[in-house]
């Protein structure tokens, strides 16, 4: 299959490398010439091994059997604008957070929304470490997507890199949202790997965040708490995407995660823990330079 991956951060590079290893022809669309050159020269270094992947400059998107969008939420508008110019494509979005869900509906192609819970760390513009095996779940996201299980995406499923269809979009999104609303801010605030959340003192805070999130989203608390712990165990060595953003001086996706819960709370559930972590992560985004200890 000929696959285009838009965005070469941790998740984009993981997807590109895994599909290339399975014999697919993969092109990563990037915005910086330096990254374009590195990927074209060296491929993607996946756990120390070079995997052949082509790079191309965004927004010059050529023809692909499947396009996977792996950009951060703050880049999603310009990507959607470009995808609206294409027709008859199969497109999968794999963002954290909820900002893109309504926006993708204007794309005229077959659009799917997915979640990715692999533990993957970006070490450089062309290097990743895959710390924790996870999976991609997807569901119909746009008006023209095929409901059937045997669409292009289901054909990509493999034991090494599972991709599974889940009929209920809300369920996969909410499950991932709860995990991200717990793991991402805590790891960013405490500057720790995901496994630190399993320490009893951290677990107490994580549980409170899980409980508040489940009340807003009407999710089963026991089931979601097990899911949070499962992801922390599976990705214990991973640096979360939010901690990585803080470390690299990039804006975080906190407003699309905990901020989304606060803004979409029809039952007016009290969310003191989420309100605090949003404030703390915004403060972390601003704390750079002279006051920081190395
Ligand atoms: O954002 C992340 O880092 C990831 O979604 C996850 C699954 C929490 C692993 O670090």
């Amino acid at each position: 299959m000929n696959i285009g991956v838009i965005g070469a951060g941790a998740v984009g590079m993981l997807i590109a490398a895994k599909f290339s290893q399975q014999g697919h022809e993969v092109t990563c669309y990037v915005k910086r010439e330096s990254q374009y050159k590195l990927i074209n020269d060296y491929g993607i270094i996946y756990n120390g091994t070079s995997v052949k992947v082509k790079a191309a400059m965004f927004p010059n998107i050529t023809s692909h059997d499947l396009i996977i969008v792996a950009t951060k939420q703050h880049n999603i508008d310009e990507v959607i604008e470009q995808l609206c110019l294409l027709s008859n494509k199969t497109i999968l979005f794999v963002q954290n957070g909820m900002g893109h869900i309504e926006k993708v509906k204007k794309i005229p192609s077959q659009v799917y929304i997915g979640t990715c819970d692999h533990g993957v760390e970006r070490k450089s513009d062309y290097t990743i470490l895959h710390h924790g095996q996870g999976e991609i779940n997807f569901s119909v996201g746009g008006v023209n997507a095929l409901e059937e299980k045997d669409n292009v995406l289901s054909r990509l499923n493999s034991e090494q890199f599972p991709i599974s269809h889940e009929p209920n979009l809300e369920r996969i999104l909410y499950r991932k949202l709860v995990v991200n609303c717990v793991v991402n801010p805590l790891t960013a605030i405490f500057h720790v790997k995901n496994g630190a959340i399993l320490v009893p003192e951290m677990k107490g805070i994580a549980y409170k965040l899980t409980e508040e999130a489940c009340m807003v989203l009407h999710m089963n608390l026991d089931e979601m708490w097990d899911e949070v712990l499962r992801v922390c165990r599976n990705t214990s060595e991973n640096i979360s995407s939010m901690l990585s953003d803080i470390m690299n001086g990039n804006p975080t996706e906190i407003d699309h995660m905990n901020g989304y819960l606060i803004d979409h709370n029809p039952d007016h559930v009290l969310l003191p823990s989420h309100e605090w972590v949003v404030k703390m992560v915004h403060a972390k985004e601003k704390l750079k330079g002279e006051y920081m200890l190395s």
Side-chain angles (χ1 to χ4, degrees):
M1 211 180 277
N2 184 322
I3 300 173
V5 179
I6 304 180
V11 170
M13 285 198 269
L14 173 73
I15 290 172
K18 291 308 266 183
F19 286 145
S20 172
Q21 282 180 331
Q22 289 172 17
H24 299 288
E25 199 180 308
V26 185
T27 306
C28 263
Y29 289 91
V30 300
K31 277 169 106 180
R32 283 175 296 115
E33 291 226 8
S34 52
Q35 189 176 27
Y36 164 85
K37 204 171 163 347
L38 283 166
I39 294 180
N40 272 329
D41 286 353
Y42 304 108
I44 288 171
I45 311 297
Y46 169 87
N47 288 353
T49 305
S50 169
V51 181
K52 190 176 176 303
V53 168
K54 271 197 287 182
M57 291 300 287
F58 179 82
N60 304 320
I61 305 167
T62 54
S63 183
H64 299 285
D65 303 316
L66 168 67
I67 295 175
I68 300 175
V69 182
T71 51
K72 296 268 178 173
Q73 287 285 354
H74 39 264
N75 295 123
I76 210 77
D77 290 333
E78 59 178 333
V79 174
I80 290 178
E81 204 177 297
Q82 291 302 319
L83 295 175
C84 281
L85 306 174
L86 310 173
S87 53
N88 289 326
K89 300 278 171 212
T90 303
I91 304 171
L92 170 67
F93 283 80
V94 281
Q95 277 60 40
N96 279 336
M98 304 289 289
H100 56 310
I101 309 303
E102 284 304 312
K103 295 177 182 174
V104 303
K105 292 191 176 144
K106 65 177 182 202
I107 301 174
S109 296
Q110 290 175 29
V111 176
Y112 299 87
I113 304 254
T115 56
C116 167
D117 66 4
H118 286 267
V120 56
E121 183 187 346
R122 176 192 169 283
K123 295 302 270 185
S124 78
D125 270 355
Y126 68 116
T127 312
I128 47 167
L129 287 180
H130 192 187
H131 292 296
Q133 175 72 13
E135 59 179 357
I136 291 178
N137 288 295
F138 72 92
S139 196
V140 165
V143 279
N144 291 326
L146 302 176
E147 279 287 353
E148 295 86 43
K149 260 193 94 180
D150 62 346
N151 51 40
V152 167
L153 287 167
S154 301
R155 275 188 266 138
L156 286 170
N157 184 30
S158 70
E159 211 177 298
Q160 299 74 31
F161 199 58
I163 302 196
S164 48
H165 179 260
E166 155 70 62
N168 187 340
L169 176 65
E170 192 175 86
R171 186 180 150 80
I172 58 169
L173 289 173
Y174 284 1
R175 278 178 80 87
K176 186 69 198 307
L177 181 65
V178 175
V179 170
N180 284 133
C181 283
V182 179
V183 177
N184 294 43
L186 289 185
T187 50
I189 293 164
F190 285 93
H191 205 95
V192 288
K193 293 181 181 175
N194 295 359
I197 293 174
L198 300 168
V199 171
E201 288 72 9
M202 292 287 283
K203 261 189 179 174
I205 310 172
Y207 187 80
K208 186 74 192 136
L209 284 164
T210 310
E211 188 177 43
E212 289 178 10
C214 285
M215 280 198 284
V216 176
L217 300 171
H218 301 286
M219 308 275 287
N220 180 292
L221 176 59
D222 292 340
E223 204 184 298
M224 277 318 302
W225 180 235
D226 285 349
E227 175 69 0
V228 169
L229 297 179
R230 182 191 69 81
V231 173
C232 290
R233 274 192 296 269
N234 275 2
T235 65
S236 61
E237 282 304 305
N238 200 49
I239 291 181
S240 76
S241 55
M242 194 169 284
L243 175 55
S244 172
D245 283 336
I246 292 286
M247 288 164 72
N248 292 305
N250 294 329
T252 71
E253 295 179 303
I254 191 79
D255 291 334
H256 299 285
M257 296 174 178
N258 308 69
Y260 177 91
L261 275 188
I262 294 167
D263 292 344
H264 297 80
N265 178 11
D267 303 333
H268 306 288
V269 174
L270 292 178
L271 297 174
S273 316
H274 290 274
E275 282 168 7
W276 270 113
V277 295
V278 170
K279 287 192 177 93
M280 285 193 242
V281 171
H282 279 314
K284 290 259 334 184
E285 286 173 332
K286 292 281 162 344
L287 285 172
K288 291 176 197 155
E290 60 180 322
Y291 296 110
M292 296 303 284
L293 298 171
S294 54

